[in-house]
Amino acid sequence: MRQRLINKTAQPQETLTAGRMAARNAVVTEAVSLPSLLFDSTLSKEDWTEGLKHHSKILTHLLLNDQIDDFNAYLGSQFGSEVSELKKGVNEIDYKPILQDLLQTAILIEHSTIPPYLTALYSIKDGTNALASQIIRSVAVEEMLHLIMVCNVLNAIDIQPSVNKQENYPTYPMKLPMNVDFYIGLETFSSNSIATFIAIESPTKPLVKAPKYDHVTDSSALYSQRASVQNTNLWTLENMKGFIMENVHTIGEYYDVLFFYIVIFQIIAYYKEHGTLPKNFEELNTGGIFTGKPSKQIRPEQYYGSGGKLHFVEALDGVIAVFQEIKGQGEGADDSIFDVDPSQFEEGMELAHYFRFKEVFHEHFYLGGNYEPFMDENGMMPVTTPPTGKALPVEWDEAYPMKPNPKVEDYIKNKELHAQGVEFNKTYRRLLDAIQSAVEGNQRELEKSIMYMYALKEQAVNLMKQPLDSQNNAGPTFEYTDL
């Protein structure tokens, strides 16, 4: 059974049925039903926004927690009786350009984290900070997995993913395309760069189950491994992105809203095809927007990375699996600090990204620590709680003093250094080209990615060993280049 990733409710002590969840905020529900939210062109922008907040919370909570029976009850409560007059606006929405933009943004979010993580990793001097290196490497590999799975979602709805074009490259320093107040960039391994990584991976929810020492029978292994439409239609790309920029603060929240949008367009596609609204998940799961070729999917046996599970997508249940995996690895699964349910030992008990980085920052592991001072009566603690377990030694000075956010043009006066910077970017381009070819249906191209990853490290370290000025060394720039 897939692990559940989202908190049960805003009130952890109460298990809500779909009916009781719908009853909450009754004023909003009565004023803005799901059919009205979807099809009523007379709805005000304010009511649309409030309705989106309300229904996205319920729908996302139920489906991403595998609560299918409750979802069916919720859908029945909304679509149980025929809607007398559905507005013509439903026929005016072209979902493909909208989902292409939003899913490409998800690819950019995942891509944006990879160069900063790899830069910090490569800057650590050989023979030092083995545990910290292993943690950063494991997260970087999983971010690559996330990128590929988002490509699977795009292919499932018959939209060609793009990962290697110039417009798909992050430019550092940058803000993630959400409502955040921090910048991410290319920096050497330091407490500052790790603090930025913690901010990137911040969980959506403020509380998490405190880890218990008696859950671990042999902790030593864990310690060591570690489009343009009419103005009357509110479902425009501009409005949907505007909602994200105003209300989304974490990567997990972005995926929640993106998932809701995908379900909305699947509901609309079902109505267009059948002339009625879906009554249950089984009706909603297949067909509709999922018209892509299964032959373009990257499947588990074709992916040569490690860490996490790769899910292919041919229907809505595949999107659920992908978003569960991405959210679980980033911020924790089923209210815990782990990226899978601790009862599911086939993947072990690896921590979610946020908590792995906190271990490095605080130089301690979570497991084996005493969290009673931080716990409430339900065994929950704030996600900000520092790890208090076994020490995780970190030598912060054992990293090359790389200039933050370097550019190849910084090396123009040194022909040899400039050539090395260009060659690094060519290798990174070849890595992205291999991924691009794979998501276009040439899955065997992924085999090349291993070779390119080894070459990237060697080239990056060679750059980082060379002084650029009296205070800083050179470093990789991860800039777009022609081959």
Side-chain angles (χ1 to χ4, degrees):
M1 179 181 294
R2 258 191 321 267
Q3 62 270 22
R4 293 170 298 173
L5 304 184
I6 303 175
N7 283 330
K8 299 292 186 296
T9 67
Q11 298 179 358
Q13 302 314 301
E14 183 181 11
T15 301
L16 296 177
T17 64
R20 285 153 69 194
M21 290 182 73
R24 182 175 290 175
N25 298 324
V27 173
V28 174
T29 304
E30 290 178 2
V32 185
S33 66
L34 188 55
S36 294
L37 183 67
L38 297 181
F39 307 127
D40 189 352
S41 59
T42 67
L43 205 63
S44 70
K45 181 71 173 295
E46 180 181 1
D47 285 344
W48 179 83
T49 300
E50 291 304 312
L52 199 157
K53 289 179 182 178
H54 177 73
H55 289 287
S56 65
K57 181 178 180 181
I58 295 175
L59 186 151
T60 302
H61 166 84
L62 295 175
L63 287 183
L64 292 187
N65 280 287
D66 295 322
Q67 296 181 15
I68 303 303
D69 290 342
D70 282 347
F71 171 76
N72 291 341
Y74 160 73
L75 211 58
S77 71
Q78 297 295 314
F79 297 158
S81 58
E82 285 298 325
V83 180
S84 57
E85 293 186 13
L86 295 178
K87 304 301 181 180
K88 293 181 180 180
V90 64
N91 297 313
E92 301 164 356
I93 301 175
D94 184 0
Y95 68 87
K96 280 195 173 183
I98 296 176
L99 290 184
Q100 181 176 29
D101 187 287
L102 296 172
L103 283 162
Q104 280 293 152
T105 299
I107 289 177
L108 176 62
I109 290 171
E110 301 298 347
H111 188 175
S112 298
T113 66
I114 295 171
Y117 294 167
L118 291 180
T119 298
L121 173 64
Y122 296 155
S123 71
I124 296 173
K125 296 179 180 179
D126 286 345
T128 69
N129 292 306
L131 291 172
S133 294
Q134 192 166 15
I135 288 172
I136 299 171
R137 183 184 300 108
S138 68
V139 175
V141 168
E142 289 174 3
E143 298 296 350
M144 190 73 74
L145 173 73
H146 298 172
L147 186 152
I148 291 173
M149 288 196 294
V150 175
C151 290
N152 275 350
V153 176
L154 275 162
N155 271 326
I157 55 180
D158 198 25
I159 299 174
Q160 180 61 60
S162 181
V163 298
N164 64 341
K165 293 181 180 179
Q166 187 169 4
E167 58 265 29
N168 303 133
Y169 270 62
T171 303
Y172 303 101
M174 64 173 287
K175 284 187 176 182
L176 295 175
M178 302 177 291
N179 188 2
V180 297
D181 58 2
F182 62 90
Y183 286 85
I184 63 174
L186 307 177
E187 298 182 30
T188 191
F189 173 74
S190 66
S191 59
N192 183 70
S193 60
I194 296 299
T196 300
F197 300 167
I198 291 171
I200 291 171
E201 303 287 353
S202 294
T204 301
K205 302 299 181 180
L207 296 175
V208 70
K209 292 177 183 175
K212 296 181 180 180
Y213 181 77
D214 60 6
H215 283 173
V216 184
T217 57
D218 182 6
S219 61
S220 60
L222 291 171
Y223 291 137
S224 64
Q225 67 161 297
R226 302 296 302 146
S228 183
V229 293
Q230 294 185 9
N231 292 333
T232 56
N233 171 37
L234 291 167
W235 290 96
T236 65
L237 178 59
E238 180 182 9
N239 285 343
M240 295 165 78
K241 292 179 72 172
F243 180 86
I244 290 172
M245 291 305 298
E246 293 177 5
N247 298 281
V248 171
H249 309 278
T250 70
I251 295 176
E253 288 178 346
Y254 183 88
Y255 279 105
D256 283 348
V257 174
L258 176 55
F259 178 75
F260 180 69
Y261 290 160
I262 290 172
V263 176
I264 289 302
F265 287 122
Q266 181 68 349
I267 291 172
I268 293 173
Y270 183 93
Y271 173 75
K272 285 184 177 181
E273 181 178 354
H274 300 279
T276 60
L277 293 167
K279 302 299 192 299
N280 53 60
F281 180 79
E282 184 178 2
E283 292 182 350
L284 194 63
N285 185 34
T286 59
I289 68 175
F290 298 104
T291 60
K293 297 179 180 178
S295 61
K296 284 191 173 184
Q297 292 291 310
I298 307 294
R299 300 176 186 273
E301 64 272 16
Q302 298 162 333
Y303 179 67
Y304 298 90
S306 59
K309 293 180 179 179
L310 189 147
H311 300 276
F312 61 88
V313 181
E314 296 179 358
L316 185 58
D317 56 6
V319 180
I320 292 173
V322 165
F323 284 19
Q324 285 179 330
E325 187 76 12
I326 293 174
K327 285 171 55 62
Q329 287 187 335
E331 58 183 44
D334 197 23
D335 296 331
S336 79
I337 69 174
F338 303 103
D339 69 10
V340 297
D341 189 314
S343 66
Q344 299 180 24
F345 291 104
E346 74 276 7
E347 289 292 333
M349 289 169 58
E350 184 65 88
L351 298 187
H353 299 175
Y354 174 83
F355 300 100
R356 289 184 230 177
F357 285 137
K358 283 179 69 71
E359 287 184 327
V360 177
F361 184 86
H362 293 283
E363 303 182 36
H364 283 272
F365 289 100
Y366 272 97
L367 297 182
N370 178 16
Y371 300 96
E372 290 185 0
F374 307 97
M375 293 165 55
D376 62 20
E377 65 276 12
N378 303 306
M380 306 294 285
M381 69 177 188
V383 296
T384 54
T385 302
T388 61
K390 182 180 177 181
L392 192 166
V394 178
E395 299 174 274
W396 296 107
D397 294 333
E398 292 297 328
Y400 297 108
M402 188 194 87
K403 176 184 177 179
N405 303 305
K407 306 295 181 185
V408 167
E409 64 182 24
D410 296 336
Y411 311 149
I412 199 71
K413 295 181 180 180
N414 185 327
K415 291 184 178 180
E416 182 178 351
L417 189 59
H418 183 268
Q420 291 179 19
V422 170
E423 192 57 37
F424 175 90
N425 288 334
K426 287 183 177 180
T427 301
Y428 190 62
R429 167 68 187 277
R430 293 185 183 103
L431 171 63
L432 295 182
D433 285 352
I435 296 173
Q436 181 65 39
S437 181
V439 300
E440 289 177 358
N442 307 304
Q443 291 88 345
R444 289 187 63 88
E445 288 293 299
L446 275 181
E447 297 177 20
K448 297 179 180 178
S449 62
I450 299 175
M451 173 183 66
Y452 292 135
M453 288 297 292
Y454 279 114
L456 277 180
K457 180 180 179 180
E458 182 179 356
Q459 293 169 349
V461 172
N462 286 338
L463 284 165
M464 290 177 174
K465 288 181 177 179
Q466 301 183 60
L468 187 60
D469 53 43
S470 60
Q471 293 182 318
N472 300 301
N473 286 10
T477 67
F478 291 92
E479 293 173 281
Y480 177 87
T481 186
D482 292 320
L483 295 177

